């Protein structure tokens, strides 16, 4: 017992006292990429899966910050950084409205039949991570006034 206390209180180990380990292998360092599961067995964590998970978390944090940024410079910098890792801002102004890709936030009346169903402006930016839409843009869509005919 004294050897254990002396070993635990040596200058390179710190001065804290701990209870003796029940397993002689407990003094061995754990693998850096292993984590204990619920049944207390080591579970291997794939570094690629961990990197993907951390990337997704950082993207969500950047989108949150982008939505709340008050400075155009900050918005531009966040958008540039996201673009550098494959996350595109979706601003479909001037495109035909597609309910599968866009969320309608409102309409603007128009007398021009050619503008009917065209996106007038983007109210809230959308985002896509390569081919996967993270958030559909919320848009305002031109709508032909009732009573306006397509012929002159």
């Amino acid at each position: 017992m004294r050897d254990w206390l002396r070993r635990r209180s040596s200058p390179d180990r710190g001065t804290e006292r701990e209870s003796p380990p029940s397993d002689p292998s407990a003094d061995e360092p754990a693998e850096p990429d292993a984590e204990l599961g619920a049944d207390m067995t080591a579970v291997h964590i794939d570094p690629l899966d961990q990197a993907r998970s951390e990337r997704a978390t950082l993207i969500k944090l950047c989108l949150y910050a982008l939505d709340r940024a008050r400075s155009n410079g900050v918005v531009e910098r966040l958008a540039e950084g996201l673009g550098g890792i494959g996350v595109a801002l979706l601003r479909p102004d001037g495109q035909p409205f597609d309910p599968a890709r866009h969320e309608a936030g409102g309409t603007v009346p128009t007398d021009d039949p050619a503008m009917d169903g065209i996106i007038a402006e983007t109210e809230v930016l959308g985002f896509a991570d390569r081919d996967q839409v993270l958030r559909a843009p919320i848009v305002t869509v031109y709508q032909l006034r009732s009573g306006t005919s397509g012929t002159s």
Side-chain angles (χ1 to χ4, degrees):
M1 176 84 169
R2 286 180 183 233
D3 288 338
W4 179 82
L5 286 173
R6 199 172 312 129
R7 189 172 62 230
R8 291 289 182 193
S9 61
S10 67
D12 57 320
R13 290 283 219 171
T15 58
E16 71 279 349
R17 288 185 162 200
E18 299 177 11
S19 59
S22 58
D23 180 6
S25 65
D27 285 340
E28 297 175 17
E31 293 181 28
D33 62 344
E35 181 178 295
L36 290 180
D39 62 354
M40 300 303 285
T41 58
V43 177
H44 179 73
I45 298 173
D46 180 31
L48 184 57
D49 287 342
Q50 183 176 357
R52 286 181 179 138
S53 174
E54 290 170 353
R55 179 181 182 274
T57 300
L58 287 172
I59 288 171
K60 286 179 186 177
L61 179 62
C62 287
L63 298 182
Y64 178 86
L66 190 68
D67 284 343
R68 287 151 182 82
R70 300 280 185 235
S71 162
N72 286 338
V74 171
V75 169
E76 287 176 18
R77 181 64 189 106
L78 284 168
E80 178 183 302
L82 287 167
I85 63 165
V87 177
L89 277 67
L90 303 176
R91 187 187 312 260
D93 298 2
Q95 297 177 11
F97 175 74
D98 179 355
R101 295 179 22 224
H102 312 121
E103 183 178 331
T107 59
V108 175
T110 183
D111 293 325
D112 183 356
M115 296 302 292
D116 188 35
I118 300 296
I119 296 172
E121 69 176 328
T122 302
E123 296 176 22
V124 179
L125 289 173
F127 300 95
D129 187 3
R130 295 178 178 87
D131 293 335
Q132 180 186 3
V133 174
L134 301 174
R135 180 175 77 194
I138 301 173
V139 298
T140 302
V141 183
Y142 286 115
Q143 185 176 36
L144 196 59
R145 291 183 201 271
S146 56
T148 306
S149 66
T151 58
S152 302

